[in-house]
Amino acid sequence: MGDGVEPIVVTWVFDAADPAGLASVLARYVVLTRRADGCRNVDLVASATHVGRSMIVEKWASTSMQRAHLDSDIAVEMARACDGLLTGPPSVDRWEPVSAQDVE
């Protein structure tokens, strides 16, 4: 697990102090990230039950490509642009695939 070879999913959950401002920042990030090397998919969704909560779901070809993206200008710019738009830091989680054959 986490060896940089297997595909992974990363989720970011944001709670907005300024929902319109945050939506603009996150939409730009998603569009630019879709072009990143190793990005298989990225989506932006809004919570239907928590006003002002958004989530980005990223699928990456490998852990190493996702980690490289975190140091990219795109990710750094997004983090800086979120300053003052959030109620607190985003919740970030990395998910690794589970094969149905691995489940007993």
Side-chain angles (χ1 to χ4, degrees):
M1 288 179 36
D3 61 5
V5 178
E6 291 292 320
I8 63 159
V9 172
V10 174
T11 57
W12 301 70
V13 177
F14 302 84
D15 287 312
D18 176 355
L22 181 63
S24 176
V25 168
L26 298 183
R28 175 175 164 66
Y29 171 80
V30 166
V31 168
L32 296 174
T33 297
R34 283 186 176 138
R35 302 180 201 154
D37 189 33
C39 180
R40 290 185 171 178
N41 190 37
V42 58
D43 289 309
L44 173 60
V45 295
S47 175
T49 57
H50 293 88
V51 175
R53 182 170 290 168
S54 298
M55 181 170 66
I56 293 176
V57 180
E58 302 176 352
K59 295 179 183 177
W60 291 91
S62 70
T63 301
S64 60
M65 290 176 149
Q66 187 273 330
R67 286 183 180 156
H69 177 71
L70 283 179
D71 292 329
S72 73
D73 291 342
I74 295 167
V76 171
E77 180 183 319
M78 183 268 289
R80 288 185 178 143
C82 284
D83 189 37
L85 302 178
L86 303 174
T87 61
S91 172
V92 182
D93 205 348
R94 192 176 85 216
W95 306 78
E96 296 179 345
V98 176
S99 169
Q101 296 160 334
D102 295 338
V103 179
E104 295 181 21

